[in-house]
C-alpha cells in the first residue's frame, strides 16, 4: 500500500525540465500560433531550437544560432501589462546550449573564469558587450510585453538578445514596441502570438581580435491575434488579425516601417536562407470559421 502511494505521488509530480535543446519546439508549442513554428526555414544546420525555461516553467521559444551567438527569432505570447520594465535584473545564460549541464533552467552567469570560458563556445557572454560602444543588448522578447515577475525575468538572457544600435533601439524600436503593447492591450481579446527576429549580416562584435557576436542588419516583429475586437477604430482595424514591422539596425536611416506580415516575410526571404514559401504564422493567421 505504501509503495502504491509513493508511485502515485511520483506520477503526479511535474516532469523534470530536460536539459537539452528541443528539436521540434514541442515543449514550447503554446507560444506558436496553432502550435507550429515558422514554415520554410533553410540552412538550419547547427541552429538550435530552444524552449527557454525559467523557474521550471517554459516561457518562450527561441531559434538560436551558436555560430553567430545570437537568436534568429524569439516567439512568445503577449501578456497584458502596464509596460513596466524590470531593468537591473541579472543577465542569464542558457544551460541547454552547454554540454554537461544538469538543468534546463536559465541561470545567472557564473563568476568563475573557467566556467565562463566553457560557455563562450556555445553562446554570448557579458564580456562580449562590455566594449560595444555603438550597440546595446536588445531583447527580442521584451520584458514590457510580459506581466508576471517570472516571465519578465526570463527575458533577461543573452539567448534572447541581439546587438542593437543605441539610436535605433531607444529612438525607434522601443517606442514601436510600446505602441504594440497598447494596441494589443486594448484590442486583442484572445491570445496574441508574437515573433520577433533579425536578418543577419557578416558584421560582428569582436573581442580579443576574435569575431564573437553577429550584428543583425534588420530587426523585425509580427503579431497574430485571431480573436480581436471587431469594434477596433477604422485606422487600426486593418492591422488585425496580423501585422508587422521592421527597421534598419543602424545609427542612420533607421526609422521603423510598419507593414503587412507578408511584406516582412518577403524581407526575410530576400535577406536570409529560407524557402520561397516562408511563412511566420500558419495559414497567414486567418481565423478558422
Amino acid at each position: 500500500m505504501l509503495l502504491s502511494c509513493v508511485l502515485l505521488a511520483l506520477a503526479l509530480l511535474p516532469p523534470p525540465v530536460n536539459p537539452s535543446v528541443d528539436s521540434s519546439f514541442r515543449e514550447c508549442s503554446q507560444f506558436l500560433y496553432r502550435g507550429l513554428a515558422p514554415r520554410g526555414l533553410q540552412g538550419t544546420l547547427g541552429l538550435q531550437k530552444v524552449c527557454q525555461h525559467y523557474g521550471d516553467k517554459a516561457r518562450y521559444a527561441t531559434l538560436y544560432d551558436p555560430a553567430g551567438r545570437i537568436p534568429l527569432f524569439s516567439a512568445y505570447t503577449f501578456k497584458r501589462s502596464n509596460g513596466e520594465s524590470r531593468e537591473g535584473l541579472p543577465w542569464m545564460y542558457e544551460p541547454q546550449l552547454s554540454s554537461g549541464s544538469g538543468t534546463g533552467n536559465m541561470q545567472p552567469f557564473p563568476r568563475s573564469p573557467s566556467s565562463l570560458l566553457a560557455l563562450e563556445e556555445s553562446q554570448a557572454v557579458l564580456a562580449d558587450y562590455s566594449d560595444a560602444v555603438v550597440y546595446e543588448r536588445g531583447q527580442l522578447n521584451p520584458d514590457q510585453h510580459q506581466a508576471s515577475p517570472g516571465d519578465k525575468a526570463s527575458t533577461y538572457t543573452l539567448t534572447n538578445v541581439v546587438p542593437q544600435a543605441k539610436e535605433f533601439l531607444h529612438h525607434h524600436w522601443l517606442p514601436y514596441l510600446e505602441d504594440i503593447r497598447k494596441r494589443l492591450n486594448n484590442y486583442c481579446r484572445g491570445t496574441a502570438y508574437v515573433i520577433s527576429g533579425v536578418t543577419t549580416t557578416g558584421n560582428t562584435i569582436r573581442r580579443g581580435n576574435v569575431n564573437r557576436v553577429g550584428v543583425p542588419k534588420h530587426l523585425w516583429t509580427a503579431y497574430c491575434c485571431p480573436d480581436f475586437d471587431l469594434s477596433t477604430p477604422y485606422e487600426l482595424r486593418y492591422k488585425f488579425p496580423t501585422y508587422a514591422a521592421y527597421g534598419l539596425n543602424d545609427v542612420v536611416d533607421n526609422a521603423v516601417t510598419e507593414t503587412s506580415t507578408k511584406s516582412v516575410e518577403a524581407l526575410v526571404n530576400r535577406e536570409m536562407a529560407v524557402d520561397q514559401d516562408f511563412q511566420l504564422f500558419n495559414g497567414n493567421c486567418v481565423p478558422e470559421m
Side-chain angles (χ1 to χ4, degrees):
M1 184 67 177
L2 178 60
L3 178 60
S4 298
C5 291
V6 172
L7 292 175
L8 177 61
L10 290 174
L12 293 175
L13 288 174
V17 174
N18 183 13
S20 60
V21 294
D22 184 351
S23 61
S24 63
F25 285 138
R26 182 183 62 257
E27 289 185 87
C28 274
S29 60
Q30 68 267 36
F31 305 113
L32 304 165
Y33 180 57
R34 296 179 178 170
L36 298 172
R39 184 185 70 193
L41 290 172
Q42 291 179 342
T44 55
L45 183 63
L47 301 183
Q48 303 286 1
K49 297 176 180 178
V50 183
C51 186
Q52 307 249 37
H53 289 82
Y54 178 83
D56 292 328
K57 181 180 177 181
R59 304 289 177 167
Y60 54 99
T62 295
L63 183 65
Y64 193 76
D65 177 14
R69 298 180 181 86
I70 58 170
L72 297 188
F73 69 71
S74 284
Y76 59 94
T77 49
F78 172 84
K79 314 297 192 306
R80 289 173 179 80
S81 73
N82 60 8
E84 180 183 1
S85 176
R86 294 195 66 193
E87 293 180 6
L89 289 173
W91 286 97
M92 295 177 283
Y93 73 96
E94 182 51 75
Q96 296 181 75
L97 295 172
S98 303
S99 60
S101 170
T103 179
N105 288 307
M106 57 185 73
Q107 299 289 319
F109 277 96
R111 295 184 178 183
S112 165
S114 60
S115 298
L116 283 172
L117 189 62
L119 294 176
E120 289 189 353
E121 289 303 311
S122 64
Q123 56 198 283
V125 296
L126 292 171
D128 293 323
Y129 287 87
S130 61
D131 295 323
V133 178
V134 176
Y135 302 103
E136 286 189 15
R137 293 166 293 204
Q139 299 166 315
L140 294 187
N141 173 9
D143 69 340
Q144 297 94 326
H145 284 190
Q146 302 299 328
S148 74
D151 282 342
K152 283 182 175 291
S154 73
T155 66
Y156 286 86
T157 169
L158 292 195
T159 49
N160 179 47
V161 159
V162 297
Q164 293 188 35
K166 294 179 181 179
E167 291 84 352
F168 170 67
L169 175 63
H170 292 288
H171 296 160
H172 298 288
W173 194 244
L174 287 179
Y176 176 73
L177 294 179
E178 175 63 9
D179 288 343
I180 293 305
R181 184 191 68 80
K182 294 176 181 177
R183 183 184 306 170
L184 296 179
N185 263 0
N186 291 332
Y187 304 114
C188 184
R189 299 189 304 184
T191 300
Y193 302 88
V194 185
I195 303 179
S196 295
V198 303
T199 67
T200 57
T201 66
N203 297 329
T204 61
I205 292 176
R206 292 172 60 85
R207 178 164 62 88
N209 293 321
V210 175
N211 292 334
R212 285 292 303 168
V213 181
V215 176
K217 180 178 179 180
H218 299 95
L219 270 290
W220 54 263
T221 187
Y223 62 81
C224 167
C225 173
D227 182 13
F228 60 93
D229 187 348
L230 296 179
S231 63
T232 299
Y234 175 79
E235 63 271 18
L236 292 176
R237 172 64 182 78
Y238 72 96
K239 297 179 180 180
F240 285 94
T242 182
Y243 218 57
Y246 69 92
L248 185 67
N249 184 31
D250 206 337
V251 297
V252 295
D253 299 326
N254 51 15
V256 171
T257 298
E258 193 169 24
T259 185
S260 69
T261 300
K262 284 186 175 295
S263 293
V264 164
E265 290 171 345
L267 169 72
V268 177
N269 195 306
R270 291 193 301 270
E271 300 285 341
M272 303 280 285
V274 297
D275 292 335
Q276 291 298 313
D277 63 349
F278 174 70
Q279 189 177 79
L280 288 172
F281 301 114
N282 179 266
N284 293 313
C285 188
V286 175
E288 295 179 346
M289 302 302 292

